[in-house]
Amino acid sequence: MKNILLFGFVIFLVSCEQNQHKTAVDHPNQFVISQPVHVSDDEWSFSGTENMLFVPENRNDPNSRKIPLHFFRFPAKDTATLAPVVFLGAGPGEPYATEVFYNGRRAEAWRYELNFVNKNRDVILINQRGNSDTPGMQIPEFKYKWNNGGTLETPFDLSIRNANRKAAYSEAIKRYKDSGVDLQGYDIMHFVDDIEAVRSYLDTEKIALMGNSFASQWALGYIQRYPTRVDRALFSGIEPLDHNYDDPQGIWKVLEKIEAYALEDPNIAKDLPEIGLIAAFKAVIERLEKTPQTVVLEGFNDGQDETIVVGADDLRFNKLNPRVKSYSAEIASWPKYITEMYHGDFRYLAVLSSGRMYNSGSLMINPLFNNSLGISKAREEVINKRPATRWLGDINSHYTATRDICPAPKVPNDFRVHKEHSIPILLIQGDMDLSTPYENATFLMKTLKKGHLITVKRGFHNAKRAFIFGNPELADATFEFMTIDFSETSFETFKSTLTDEYALPEFKFWPMNGKSLFDTYVDEN
C-alpha cells in the first residue's frame, strides 16, 4: 500500500541559532522551513524531513532576493557511523519529490540505492534550483519553447531549428529578467555552492556524493571547489567537467559496436547491407543530401495519406529510433532501421520526422548551467575535428545555439581541469552509453588516486541499474563501497574485492524480415 504522510504542521527554524558554522557561500542568517515526511509501501519506508533552505538567488549580489533550496533528509535507520550521503538529480531537470519514490522500475532501482546507504548514513536529496518540477515555491514554468521550423514540403533544416531556439531563448531571457529573476544565479557555481549550503546547514564536516549523468558533473564541480569536504563518491554515466559537450566520436563508437554485434548474429548478419551498417548509414546520409526523399505515408493521418519530404538532417536528428522506450530497444532496432532506408524504405524516418512541425522546449536551467560551464577551446577543437561530425552533424547545437547570449557567468578554464586527488571514487560505466561515452570514465580515472572503474559490457546510460536488477549479489557487494568504514578497511583492500567488468546478455536484435518498422508502427498506433 502506497503511503505519503506530510504532517500538518510546519517548523520554522532560524539556523543562526542552531548552527554557527559559516561558509564562504552563506550569509550569517539562514531561514529554513521544515516538516516531517514519511513515504512507504508494503516493503519499504523512509522517514525524515522535507526542507526549504532560503539562500541568495545571486550570491555575488549582497542585495539578492532569497529563493528556496529544497531538500529531503532521511536520518540513518541504524546508528549513523559515516558522513551523510548526498544524492543529486540528473538532467538538469530530474526532480526529487515524494511521487518519485513510486515511479516504476526506475524508482525501484533508486530506492535500492537509498535503502542500502541509509542503513548507516543520513541520506540527503538535494533538488536543483530553478527546476520548476521540484516541490517548494519554484519559479512556475521556468522554461522556454521554440518552433522546430519544419514543414511537410521541405526536409528538416537543423540550422533553422537552432535559429528559432536562439530567438526563443533570447525572448525568455528578457521575460524573466523583466519579472525580477536574476539569471546570473543559475550557473554551475551556484549549483555547487547549494550543496555546500546544505552541508553547512547540517553542520557536518564531510559528505559523500552519489549521482548519474549530469549529477556526476554537478558533484565533480563540488569536488573541484570543496575537495576536503568529500568523504567519497559513486557515479555512473560519467560527465567530466570539460566533457560538457557530447563527443560525436563516442556515439560513433557505439554505432560501430552495434554493427559488430549484429555481424556476430547469423540470423541478422545474412540480411545486413553488403557494405555493412556503418557504410550504409553514410550512404543514406549522402543520398539524402543529394536527393531528399518524398515519402507517402498511407493512412497515416487519421486514415488519410500524408506526404512528407525527408533529408539528411532528418536522419541526423533521428539517428536512432527515439520512439522506442529504452536504450536497449534503440540499439536492438538499429540494424533493421538502417537497412530499410538503405534499401529505399524511408517511411519510418518520415514518421519520426513528423515531429519537426511542432514545438520543442527546455528548462531554463539547462542552457544556464551548461553554458556557464562551457568547454575549453582545446576540447572543442578536438570535438569539431572528429570524423563522426561529418555524418552526425553538430550534436551540441543545444549549447552552441544559445551560448553567445547566455547571461550566466562563465567559469575560468582552470575550473574544468581535474586535479589529482585521493578521494575514493567508484565509477560504473556502460561501454555502449550513447549519452556519456565510455571514454569519459577512462579519462576521469587518470585523475583518481583512489578510483575504481566497473565496466558494464553492453551497458547503457545509468549502467548500475543493470546489476541492481540482473545480479543483486553483485549490487550488494558493489554498493558496500558507500557503507564500509575506510578507517577500518583500507580502500585498496576493499578495491580488491570489486569486479572490473559485468557483462550483460547478448543483444536480441529485431528481426530483419517480416513487417517493416512503418507497418509495425501503424498496427500499434
Side-chain angles (χ1 to χ4, degrees):
M1 179 181 294
K2 174 178 174 180
N3 294 294
I4 302 176
L5 297 178
L6 297 175
F7 292 83
F9 59 90
V10 178
I11 304 169
F12 293 83
L13 300 173
V14 180
S15 69
C16 60
E17 297 176 3
Q18 305 283 331
N19 181 353
Q20 298 294 329
H21 189 76
K22 230 175 123 180
T23 75
V25 303
D26 296 316
H27 292 282
N29 296 334
Q30 292 177 317
F31 184 66
V32 178
I33 298 176
S34 179
Q35 67 176 358
V37 62
H38 176 82
V39 289
S40 67
D41 212 328
D42 293 338
E43 298 179 354
W44 56 268
S45 66
F46 297 93
S47 296
T49 57
E50 182 177 7
N51 315 276
M52 287 192 295
L53 170 64
F54 286 80
V55 298
E57 183 174 45
N58 183 349
R59 292 185 172 94
N60 299 315
D61 179 1
N63 299 314
S64 173
R65 73 186 184 112
K66 298 291 181 65
I67 62 172
L69 175 58
H70 184 277
F71 67 96
F72 290 94
R73 176 176 178 265
F74 298 110
K77 293 180 178 180
D78 300 326
T79 302
T81 58
L82 297 172
V85 57
V86 171
F87 282 76
L88 301 173
E94 182 180 48
Y96 287 132
T98 52
E99 295 83 1
V100 174
F101 285 83
Y102 303 96
N103 288 347
R105 290 278 281 176
R106 183 175 183 177
E108 184 180 345
W110 181 62
R111 290 196 308 268
Y112 165 84
E113 296 179 48
L114 262 65
N115 192 59
F116 197 96
V117 300
N118 199 206
K119 297 171 186 175
N120 66 339
R121 289 183 186 266
D122 291 1
V123 166
I124 315 299
L125 313 177
I126 299 181
N127 271 307
Q128 301 156 8
R129 61 167 51 210
N131 182 359
S132 301
D133 296 328
T134 62
M137 296 177 62
Q138 303 300 326
I139 303 170
E141 292 298 306
F142 192 38
K143 304 173 182 179
Y144 73 107
K145 296 180 180 179
W146 64 94
N147 186 274
N148 288 319
T151 69
L152 292 174
E153 296 79 19
T154 57
F156 196 25
D157 187 335
L158 288 174
S159 66
I160 294 175
R161 182 180 190 268
N162 294 339
N164 288 352
R165 181 172 191 153
K166 183 173 183 178
Y169 185 50
S170 179
E171 293 174 4
I173 289 171
K174 183 179 185 305
R175 181 171 66 252
Y176 286 114
K177 282 184 175 179
D178 290 346
S179 68
V181 177
D182 190 339
L183 297 176
Q184 294 193 28
Y186 297 87
D187 63 328
I188 181 174
M189 291 305 189
H190 277 83
F191 273 66
V192 165
D193 286 347
D194 283 347
I195 302 174
E196 178 64 3
V198 172
R199 185 209 62 78
S200 173
Y201 167 72
L202 295 174
D203 196 20
T204 180
E205 182 181 354
K206 290 192 174 188
I207 55 175
L209 297 164
M210 291 184 69
N212 176 64
S213 191
F214 163 78
S216 71
Q217 191 171 70
W218 182 7
L220 288 168
Y222 184 81
I223 290 172
Q224 191 82 323
R225 191 158 164 83
Y226 300 102
T228 62
R229 299 297 191 190
V230 181
D231 167 63
R232 72 193 70 180
L234 190 157
F235 302 136
S236 62
I238 317 303
E239 290 193 41
L241 293 170
D242 202 19
H243 291 225
N244 191 33
Y245 284 29
D246 294 330
D247 187 343
Q249 210 62 30
I251 295 175
W252 198 254
K253 287 181 179 180
V254 174
L255 299 182
E256 289 175 333
K257 287 184 177 181
I258 298 174
E259 179 183 47
Y261 283 122
L263 287 170
E264 292 175 359
D265 185 335
N267 294 321
I268 301 299
K270 63 185 177 63
D271 294 315
L272 293 176
E274 64 281 359
I275 63 174
L277 278 174
I278 293 296
F281 181 85
K282 292 178 178 179
V284 173
I285 288 286
E286 289 178 329
R287 189 186 314 172
L288 291 171
E289 287 176 335
K290 182 179 180 181
T291 309
Q293 302 292 301
T294 300
V295 183
V296 178
L297 302 179
E298 296 179 356
F300 177 69
N301 191 355
D302 292 329
Q304 302 298 311
D305 293 355
E306 184 167 275
T307 301
I308 182 170
V309 179
V310 295
D313 276 355
D314 288 287
L315 179 51
R316 290 188 177 105
F317 193 69
N318 299 288
K319 52 189 171 287
L320 288 111
N321 180 358
R323 284 191 176 271
V324 293
K325 303 299 184 182
S326 67
Y327 293 112
S328 60
E330 281 188 320
I331 287 174
S333 64
W334 199 68
K336 185 177 182 70
Y337 178 49
I338 299 302
T339 300
E340 284 188 351
M341 287 185 286
Y342 179 73
H343 291 306
D345 185 352
F346 290 92
R347 291 177 299 166
Y348 192 66
L349 177 62
V351 170
L352 299 178
S353 299
S354 61
R356 72 194 188 194
M357 273 73 73
Y358 308 114
N359 291 339
S360 294
S362 171
L363 295 170
M364 286 293 288
I365 57 173
N366 194 319
L368 289 168
F369 179 100
N370 285 299
N371 285 326
S372 72
L373 178 56
I375 186 173
S376 68
K377 288 183 179 179
R379 175 69 180 167
E380 187 169 18
E381 287 177 2
V382 169
I383 286 178
N384 289 341
K385 291 178 180 178
R386 297 294 201 197
T389 301
R390 159 71 181 90
W391 309 107
L392 301 178
D394 182 7
I395 64 172
N396 295 295
S397 60
H398 45 301
Y399 303 147
T400 57
T402 57
R403 64 184 180 184
D404 292 342
I405 59 172
C406 182
K410 312 296 190 293
V411 301
N413 268 331
D414 61 355
F415 183 78
R416 303 187 197 96
V417 179
H418 289 279
K419 304 173 181 65
E420 284 192 358
H421 58 71
S422 298
I423 299 169
I425 295 184
L426 176 59
L427 307 180
I428 304 173
Q429 184 73 28
D431 69 351
M432 296 189 72
D433 190 333
L434 284 156
S435 300
T436 53
Y438 179 73
E439 290 71 24
N440 285 6
T442 57
F443 168 85
L444 188 63
M445 278 294 296
K446 298 173 185 177
T447 68
L448 307 180
K449 295 179 181 179
K450 292 185 176 180
H452 184 73
L453 169 61
I454 298 177
T455 299
V456 180
K457 190 175 182 181
R458 290 181 289 275
F460 316 117
H461 204 46
N462 203 342
K464 63 179 181 288
R465 288 183 197 150
F467 52 81
I468 289 176
F469 292 127
N471 192 326
E473 294 79 12
L474 176 62
D476 287 350
T478 301
F479 280 90
E480 191 179 350
F481 171 83
M482 296 301 297
T483 60
I484 195 167
D485 189 338
F486 287 136
S487 68
E488 298 177 357
T489 302
S490 73
F491 169 77
E492 291 300 328
T493 298
F494 179 74
K495 177 181 175 179
S496 67
T497 70
L498 292 170
T499 187
D500 294 321
E501 180 179 286
Y502 175 65
L504 294 180
E506 299 286 342
F507 293 119
K508 295 182 179 179
F509 291 106
W510 290 16
M512 301 293 286
N513 298 314
K515 284 187 178 181
S516 69
L517 292 174
F518 174 73
D519 290 333
T520 300
Y521 170 81
V522 171
D523 289 347
E524 293 177 351
N525 292 275

PDB file of all heavy atoms in Angstrom, residues 297-306 358 518 521-522 525:
ATOM      1  N   LEU A 297       2.946   8.379 -46.760  1.00  0.00           N
ATOM      2  CA  LEU A 297       2.547   7.538 -45.625  1.00  0.00           C
ATOM      3  C   LEU A 297       1.067   7.219 -45.772  1.00  0.00           C
ATOM      4  O   LEU A 297       0.208   8.068 -45.511  1.00  0.00           O
ATOM      5  CB  LEU A 297       2.830   8.261 -44.305  1.00  0.00           C
ATOM      6  CG  LEU A 297       4.276   8.684 -44.059  1.00  0.00           C
ATOM      7  CD1 LEU A 297       4.398   9.420 -42.720  1.00  0.00           C
ATOM      8  CD2 LEU A 297       5.209   7.486 -44.090  1.00  0.00           C
ATOM      9  N   GLU A 298       0.768   6.033 -46.204  1.00  0.00           N
ATOM     10  CA  GLU A 298      -0.614   5.652 -46.491  1.00  0.00           C
ATOM     11  C   GLU A 298      -1.410   5.493 -45.198  1.00  0.00           C
ATOM     12  O   GLU A 298      -1.026   4.752 -44.299  1.00  0.00           O
ATOM     13  CB  GLU A 298      -0.638   4.354 -47.299  1.00  0.00           C
ATOM     14  CG  GLU A 298       0.013   4.483 -48.671  1.00  0.00           C
ATOM     15  CD  GLU A 298      -0.007   3.167 -49.426  1.00  0.00           C
ATOM     16  OE1 GLU A 298      -0.456   2.149 -48.847  1.00  0.00           O
ATOM     17  OE2 GLU A 298       0.434   3.155 -50.603  1.00  0.00           O
ATOM     18  N   GLY A 299      -2.512   6.231 -45.128  1.00  0.00           N
ATOM     19  CA  GLY A 299      -3.411   6.133 -43.978  1.00  0.00           C
ATOM     20  C   GLY A 299      -2.828   6.645 -42.682  1.00  0.00           C
ATOM     21  O   GLY A 299      -3.339   6.344 -41.603  1.00  0.00           O
ATOM     22  N   PHE A 300      -1.779   7.460 -42.745  1.00  0.00           N
ATOM     23  CA  PHE A 300      -1.057   7.870 -41.534  1.00  0.00           C
ATOM     24  C   PHE A 300      -1.809   8.922 -40.731  1.00  0.00           C
ATOM     25  O   PHE A 300      -1.782   8.917 -39.499  1.00  0.00           O
ATOM     26  CB  PHE A 300       0.322   8.407 -41.930  1.00  0.00           C
ATOM     27  CG  PHE A 300       1.149   8.925 -40.782  1.00  0.00           C
ATOM     28  CD1 PHE A 300       1.661   8.047 -39.837  1.00  0.00           C
ATOM     29  CD2 PHE A 300       1.410  10.274 -40.634  1.00  0.00           C
ATOM     30  CE1 PHE A 300       2.416   8.506 -38.775  1.00  0.00           C
ATOM     31  CE2 PHE A 300       2.171  10.747 -39.576  1.00  0.00           C
ATOM     32  CZ  PHE A 300       2.681   9.862 -38.647  1.00  0.00           C
ATOM     33  N   ASN A 301      -2.486   9.829 -41.402  1.00  0.00           N
ATOM     34  CA  ASN A 301      -3.118  10.966 -40.729  1.00  0.00           C
ATOM     35  C   ASN A 301      -4.623  10.746 -40.659  1.00  0.00           C
ATOM     36  O   ASN A 301      -5.358  11.105 -41.576  1.00  0.00           O
ATOM     37  CB  ASN A 301      -2.787  12.265 -41.487  1.00  0.00           C
ATOM     38  CG  ASN A 301      -3.177  13.508 -40.705  1.00  0.00           C
ATOM     39  OD1 ASN A 301      -3.774  13.411 -39.632  1.00  0.00           O
ATOM     40  ND2 ASN A 301      -2.849  14.673 -41.249  1.00  0.00           N
ATOM     41  N   ASP A 302      -5.062  10.127 -39.569  1.00  0.00           N
ATOM     42  CA  ASP A 302      -6.489   9.820 -39.386  1.00  0.00           C
ATOM     43  C   ASP A 302      -7.062   9.088 -40.585  1.00  0.00           C
ATOM     44  O   ASP A 302      -8.156   9.402 -41.078  1.00  0.00           O
ATOM     45  CB  ASP A 302      -7.283  11.112 -39.122  1.00  0.00           C
ATOM     46  CG  ASP A 302      -6.937  11.733 -37.782  1.00  0.00           C
ATOM     47  OD1 ASP A 302      -6.595  10.976 -36.854  1.00  0.00           O
ATOM     48  OD2 ASP A 302      -6.994  12.977 -37.674  1.00  0.00           O
ATOM     49  N   GLY A 303      -6.297   8.114 -41.078  1.00  0.00           N
ATOM     50  CA  GLY A 303      -6.759   7.318 -42.201  1.00  0.00           C
ATOM     51  C   GLY A 303      -6.463   7.910 -43.558  1.00  0.00           C
ATOM     52  O   GLY A 303      -6.680   7.255 -44.587  1.00  0.00           O
ATOM     53  N   GLN A 304      -5.970   9.133 -43.573  1.00  0.00           N
ATOM     54  CA  GLN A 304      -5.638   9.787 -44.836  1.00  0.00           C
ATOM     55  C   GLN A 304      -4.143   9.669 -45.118  1.00  0.00           C
ATOM     56  O   GLN A 304      -3.328   9.609 -44.202  1.00  0.00           O
ATOM     57  CB  GLN A 304      -6.029  11.274 -44.778  1.00  0.00           C
ATOM     58  CG  GLN A 304      -7.501  11.529 -44.494  1.00  0.00           C
ATOM     59  CD  GLN A 304      -8.400  10.968 -45.581  1.00  0.00           C
ATOM     60  OE1 GLN A 304      -8.174  11.200 -46.777  1.00  0.00           O
ATOM     61  NE2 GLN A 304      -9.420  10.212 -45.177  1.00  0.00           N
ATOM     62  N   ASP A 305      -3.818   9.656 -46.408  1.00  0.00           N
ATOM     63  CA  ASP A 305      -2.409   9.630 -46.785  1.00  0.00           C
ATOM     64  C   ASP A 305      -1.751  10.961 -46.442  1.00  0.00           C
ATOM     65  O   ASP A 305      -2.400  12.018 -46.462  1.00  0.00           O
ATOM     66  CB  ASP A 305      -2.256   9.385 -48.289  1.00  0.00           C
ATOM     67  CG  ASP A 305      -2.711   7.989 -48.695  1.00  0.00           C
ATOM     68  OD1 ASP A 305      -3.048   7.205 -47.795  1.00  0.00           O
ATOM     69  OD2 ASP A 305      -2.727   7.714 -49.908  1.00  0.00           O
ATOM     70  N   GLU A 306      -0.479  10.883 -46.075  1.00  0.00           N
ATOM     71  CA  GLU A 306       0.288  12.108 -45.811  1.00  0.00           C
ATOM     72  C   GLU A 306       1.618  12.012 -46.542  1.00  0.00           C
ATOM     73  O   GLU A 306       2.283  10.979 -46.507  1.00  0.00           O
ATOM     74  CB  GLU A 306       0.519  12.290 -44.308  1.00  0.00           C
ATOM     75  CG  GLU A 306       1.228  13.590 -43.953  1.00  0.00           C
ATOM     76  CD  GLU A 306       1.165  13.885 -42.465  1.00  0.00           C
ATOM     77  OE1 GLU A 306       0.140  14.468 -42.033  1.00  0.00           O
ATOM     78  OE2 GLU A 306       2.102  13.519 -41.748  1.00  0.00           O
ATOM     79  N   TYR A 358       6.361  20.730 -35.021  1.00  0.00           N
ATOM     80  CA  TYR A 358       5.804  21.165 -33.752  1.00  0.00           C
ATOM     81  C   TYR A 358       6.850  21.923 -32.929  1.00  0.00           C
ATOM     82  O   TYR A 358       7.951  22.206 -33.388  1.00  0.00           O
ATOM     83  CB  TYR A 358       5.258  19.960 -32.993  1.00  0.00           C
ATOM     84  CG  TYR A 358       4.311  19.135 -33.838  1.00  0.00           C
ATOM     85  CD1 TYR A 358       4.633  17.840 -34.230  1.00  0.00           C
ATOM     86  CD2 TYR A 358       3.103  19.678 -34.263  1.00  0.00           C
ATOM     87  CE1 TYR A 358       3.774  17.094 -35.021  1.00  0.00           C
ATOM     88  CE2 TYR A 358       2.237  18.938 -35.055  1.00  0.00           C
ATOM     89  CZ  TYR A 358       2.572  17.648 -35.436  1.00  0.00           C
ATOM     90  OH  TYR A 358       1.719  16.923 -36.215  1.00  0.00           O
ATOM     91  N   PHE A 518       7.543   0.730 -40.330  1.00  0.00           N
ATOM     92  CA  PHE A 518       6.369   1.579 -40.546  1.00  0.00           C
ATOM     93  C   PHE A 518       5.086   0.789 -40.340  1.00  0.00           C
ATOM     94  O   PHE A 518       4.169   1.250 -39.643  1.00  0.00           O
ATOM     95  CB  PHE A 518       6.395   2.187 -41.947  1.00  0.00           C
ATOM     96  CG  PHE A 518       5.137   2.954 -42.283  1.00  0.00           C
ATOM     97  CD1 PHE A 518       4.892   4.187 -41.702  1.00  0.00           C
ATOM     98  CD2 PHE A 518       4.187   2.415 -43.146  1.00  0.00           C
ATOM     99  CE1 PHE A 518       3.719   4.887 -41.983  1.00  0.00           C
ATOM    100  CE2 PHE A 518       3.022   3.106 -43.431  1.00  0.00           C
ATOM    101  CZ  PHE A 518       2.779   4.343 -42.850  1.00  0.00           C
ATOM    102  N   TYR A 521       4.517   0.166 -36.771  1.00  0.00           N
ATOM    103  CA  TYR A 521       4.064   1.393 -36.099  1.00  0.00           C
ATOM    104  C   TYR A 521       2.569   1.618 -36.339  1.00  0.00           C
ATOM    105  O   TYR A 521       1.823   1.924 -35.404  1.00  0.00           O
ATOM    106  CB  TYR A 521       4.867   2.585 -36.606  1.00  0.00           C
ATOM    107  CG  TYR A 521       4.309   3.911 -36.150  1.00  0.00           C
ATOM    108  CD1 TYR A 521       4.593   4.398 -34.871  1.00  0.00           C
ATOM    109  CD2 TYR A 521       3.472   4.658 -36.972  1.00  0.00           C
ATOM    110  CE1 TYR A 521       4.050   5.601 -34.437  1.00  0.00           C
ATOM    111  CE2 TYR A 521       2.934   5.860 -36.546  1.00  0.00           C
ATOM    112  CZ  TYR A 521       3.225   6.327 -35.274  1.00  0.00           C
ATOM    113  OH  TYR A 521       2.694   7.516 -34.853  1.00  0.00           O
ATOM    114  N   VAL A 522       2.122   1.452 -37.583  1.00  0.00           N
ATOM    115  CA  VAL A 522       0.707   1.664 -37.906  1.00  0.00           C
ATOM    116  C   VAL A 522      -0.166   0.686 -37.137  1.00  0.00           C
ATOM    117  O   VAL A 522      -1.212   1.052 -36.577  1.00  0.00           O
ATOM    118  CB  VAL A 522       0.482   1.526 -39.425  1.00  0.00           C
ATOM    119  CG1 VAL A 522      -1.020   1.512 -39.744  1.00  0.00           C
ATOM    120  CG2 VAL A 522       1.163   2.667 -40.170  1.00  0.00           C
ATOM    121  N   ASN A 525      -0.447   1.719 -33.475  1.00  0.00           N
ATOM    122  CA  ASN A 525      -0.998   3.047 -33.173  1.00  0.00           C
ATOM    123  C   ASN A 525      -2.337   3.291 -33.865  1.00  0.00           C
ATOM    124  O   ASN A 525      -2.781   4.396 -34.010  1.00  0.00           O
ATOM    125  CB  ASN A 525       0.013   4.121 -33.584  1.00  0.00           C
ATOM    126  CG  ASN A 525       1.251   4.097 -32.721  1.00  0.00           C
ATOM    127  OD1 ASN A 525       1.299   4.690 -31.648  1.00  0.00           O
ATOM    128  ND2 ASN A 525       2.272   3.373 -33.187  1.00  0.00           N
TER     129      ASN A 525
END
